Amino acid sequence: MTLTITVAAPSSTANLGPGFDVFGLAVNAFYDEITLTKTKTKGVIIVAEDDIPTNPDKNTAGLVVKNMIKKFKTKDGIEIKIKKNVPAGYGMGSSAASAAAAAVAFDKLYKLKLDENLLVEFAGTGEKASAGSIHYDNVAASVLGGFVIVKTDPLDIIKIDPPSNLRMVIAVPRLKVPKRKTKVSRSAIPKKISLTSSTKNLSNATAIVVGFMNKDPELIGKSIKDMIVEPARKHMIPGFSKVKENALKAGAYGVTISGAGPSVIAFSKSSQDLKKISQAMTKGFESAKLECQTIICKPSIGAKIKT
Ligand code: HSE
């Protein structure tokens, strides 16, 4: 009988410009690790070294496990050990990585063999703890890996394997982020948009999908253009315009906000000078007197049992 299991799930970038709440890409920058152990004492206990909520109702992994216990009427108590590596609140899919790892771990622990859409749906219930609403772009990427398209009503995740030479440079600014940052930055998005913006975004989003299908990093990067969400959020990221301009000048194909920010992500390919792009982004943030950590990364596989 399995008593304990550890699953690692990757960080992710959501939106990729025009694909707000629809596109997600798993990236190998960081991995959260969740260990679930069956206990004799009923209830859910969270053990975490880092400064994260240990109340299961306020913790993404805790919420997922509680929901799954309820749904599958399992009888044991569960201890959740969280090793948090994805920086929280920076647009790298931190809450989603823990939620995805928790859902996949629970599935394995009880040998439920849930299909991918159901796993994503359960992982999505954890997002509510941090974003205030459920959105599936990050969790879908973290569960499945690669590039994902979130189709809803009913939830149906489409996965495409990214080009093997696709590379990203992510700049994470050292910036104090507001509590419940995703909720705050979602409230900045306009409720109404013009037909022109919608048409441009649709055209670029479609081209991104074709870029992934044709394994074409240049088409992907050059289509990372967002007329709707980026303009409404960029004021929250000091130096954003300079970071973007610098990265494009250094050869990046496209640059945008990673998820709800404040990290900025540049798209490129392995044969390009990625260090040059990373230095250009650092200089961009310096213009706003901000330090940043840059990570050169590539697409990741999804949540996986750690052996
Ligand atoms: N699509 C979401 C947003 C991702 O941009 O608000 C948040 O992680």
Side-chain angles (χ1 to χ4, degrees), residues 2-219:
T2 319
L3 289 178
T4 185
I5 204 145
T6 301
V7 168
S11 46
S12 57
T13 184
N15 304 340
L16 290 90
F20 178 70
D21 278 2
V22 174
F23 291 166
L25 177 69
V27 293
N28 74 343
F30 306 99
Y31 292 82
D32 274 3
E33 273 177 38
I34 298 281
T35 304
L36 297 188
T37 306
K38 290 179 186 171
T39 60
K40 290 212 167 66
T41 355
K42 287 242 175 254
V44 174
I45 298 169
I46 297 182
V47 184
E49 286 165 9
D50 315 84
D51 185 23
I52 50 175
T54 50
N55 175 346
D57 291 316
K58 298 216 163 97
N59 179 292
T60 49
L63 270 177
V64 172
V65 169
K66 277 189 81 171
N67 287 330
M68 292 181 88
I69 289 175
K70 201 167 158 200
K71 177 78 186 173
F72 298 103
K73 300 186 172 59
T74 53
K75 303 276 177 256
D76 319 281
I78 298 277
E79 182 200 88
I80 310 175
K81 203 163 168 202
I82 304 174
K83 205 163 152 209
K84 193 98 202 109
N85 295 317
V86 186
Y90 287 87
M92 304 283 300
S94 175
S95 52
S98 289
V104 172
F106 194 94
D107 178 65
K108 303 281 183 217
L109 193 61
Y110 287 98
K111 300 188 174 50
L112 300 172
K113 295 195 171 38
L114 300 179
D115 75 31
E116 288 171 340
N117 289 327
L118 252 176
L119 279 175
V120 171
E121 210 166 322
F122 276 113
T125 62
E127 279 288 61
K128 220 177 167 190
S130 65
S133 59
I134 300 184
H135 54 94
Y136 295 100
D137 41 6
N138 289 107
V139 277
S142 255
V143 170
L144 274 71
F147 173 67
V148 293
I149 302 168
V150 177
K151 212 170 158 298
T152 47
D153 305 321
L155 188 67
D156 184 12
I157 310 297
I158 300 165
K159 181 187 162 183
I160 306 176
D161 286 331
S164 57
N165 58 345
L166 180 68
R167 292 293 180 276
M168 283 70 62
V169 183
I170 303 178
V172 187
R174 256 184 254 282
L175 185 66
K176 205 170 157 12
V177 284
K179 272 213 158 99
R180 297 178 74 83
K181 175 230 61 188
T182 303
K183 200 175 175 194
V184 173
S185 58
R186 287 177 85 81
S187 67
I189 302 165
K191 300 269 179 300
K192 285 189 178 163
I193 56 167
S194 73
L195 188 60
T196 316
S197 305
S198 160
T199 307
K200 286 190 179 164
N201 267 32
L202 180 60
S203 129
N204 281 309
T206 315
I208 289 173
V209 173
V210 174
F212 275 98
M213 292 181 74
N214 291 353
K215 315 295 173 211
D216 182 347
E218 193 166 343
L219 180 60

Side-chain angles (χ1 to χ4, degrees), residues 169 247 250-252 268-279 296:
V169 183
S268 188
K269 65 178 176 185
S270 51
S271 57
Q272 296 268 99
D273 191 343
L274 301 166
K275 271 219 168 111
K276 192 173 158 195
I277 297 172
S278 133
Q279 283 158 359
I296 294 172

